Amino acid sequence: MSVQERIEHKLRETLRPSELEVVNESGMHNVPPGSESHFKVTVVADTFEGLNLVARHRKVYTALAEELAGPIHALAIHAYTPQEWEAVGRLAPASPPCRGGDKQAAS
Amino acid sequence: MDVLERIREQVENNPVIIYMKGTPQMPMCGFSARAAAALQQTGQPFAYVNVLTDREIFENLPRFANWPTFPQIYIDGELIGGCDITLELLEKGELQKMVTEAVEKAKAKDDPAQP
């Protein structure tokens, strides 16, 4: 299973989302072609109701703890309740361009 | 000093602090760049730590607040999140309020004569 598939699988299992989009954004960064290191997750779930953003992101981090300790280098998270998702027009913000810091961090 | 103790002091002694890759003037990561720019937009002063030049903090910050990624932004001693959350708070107008309140609170603490 690819890293992307593992992310999707684990988030579906733990959060039971009504919407889930996992985008591999590694191509935007300073990594070899075909890498699975930088991801953007947009997740819409009832379970986020009444939780602040820190608590929502922690749920995602907990579900993906294994991947974060390994292959995932960057993870953008956009977590909504179904009502909030409608309110933002079903569109999550775009991720920023790379600034080269990963290369330096790894050196 | 133990690194977690050092982080705790930084977080508690600065009303607003960002742990980022690079500096606000020369960010080395798009997410750090955006988060620092959001803080700059509040017009209030904030502290930063470049995690790329402090390996000990780079390696240990994730376990300080159980948050695995950079940047991390702390306001009034509390983790408010990373880039995505900071931008969301900025858009909602909440970041300005949180930052201003934390800066004012720190000022009042430093100068008890002022109510």
Side-chain angles (χ1 to χ4, degrees), chain B residues 61-103:
Chain B
L61 186 62
R63 67 187 176 101
F64 174 73
N66 187 27
W67 193 265
T69 56
F70 302 106
Q72 295 188 18
I73 294 89
Y74 293 78
I75 298 180
D76 194 17
E78 294 236 5
L79 174 71
I80 67 140
C83 170
D84 302 319
I85 293 180
T86 303
L87 290 185
E88 200 162 317
L89 292 172
L90 178 72
E91 249 172 54
K92 287 183 186 159
E94 287 174 29
L95 188 69
Q96 179 78 49
K97 188 165 159 273
M98 291 164 75
V99 166
T100 306
E101 279 176 6
V103 170

Side-chain angles (χ1 to χ4, degrees), chain A residues 16-84:
Chain A
R16 302 273 165 209
S18 54
E19 301 264 353
L20 176 67
E21 187 186 34
V22 178
V23 181
N24 181 355
E25 296 189 326
S26 308
M28 290 164 63
H29 298 271
N30 210 343
V31 291
S35 291
E36 291 194 287
S37 54
H38 294 65
F39 288 93
K40 171 179 166 180
V41 167
T42 304
V43 55
V44 182
D46 284 328
T47 182
F48 292 140
E49 199 73 59
L51 295 182
N52 68 21
L53 294 172
V54 168
R56 294 178 190 188
H57 284 224
R58 280 219 171 95
K59 271 185 181 271
V60 174
Y61 288 142
T62 303
L64 302 178
E66 207 182 314
E67 286 71 28
L68 279 160
I72 299 182
H73 194 91
L75 186 65
I77 302 172
H78 303 285
Y80 305 94
T81 64
Q83 291 89 334
E84 289 165 353

Side-chain angles (χ1 to χ4, degrees), chain B residues 16-87:
Chain B
V16 183
I17 184 167
I18 175 171
Y19 292 87
M20 62 183 293
K21 291 182 174 176
T23 68
Q25 291 71 35
M26 196 177 281
M28 298 296 288
C29 155
F31 297 100
S32 287
R34 277 199 182 169
L39 290 179
Q40 278 169 334
Q41 274 190 45
T42 68
Q44 296 286 350
F46 62 94
Y48 71 87
V49 172
N50 178 358
V51 298
L52 296 178
T53 59
D54 193 325
R55 177 152 290 272
E56 207 181 28
I57 287 185
F58 181 80
E59 284 168 1
N60 289 282
L61 186 62
R63 67 187 176 101
F64 174 73
N66 187 27
W67 193 265
T69 56
F70 302 106
Q72 295 188 18
I73 294 89
Y74 293 78
I75 298 180
D76 194 17
E78 294 236 5
L79 174 71
I80 67 140
C83 170
D84 302 319
I85 293 180
T86 303
L87 290 185

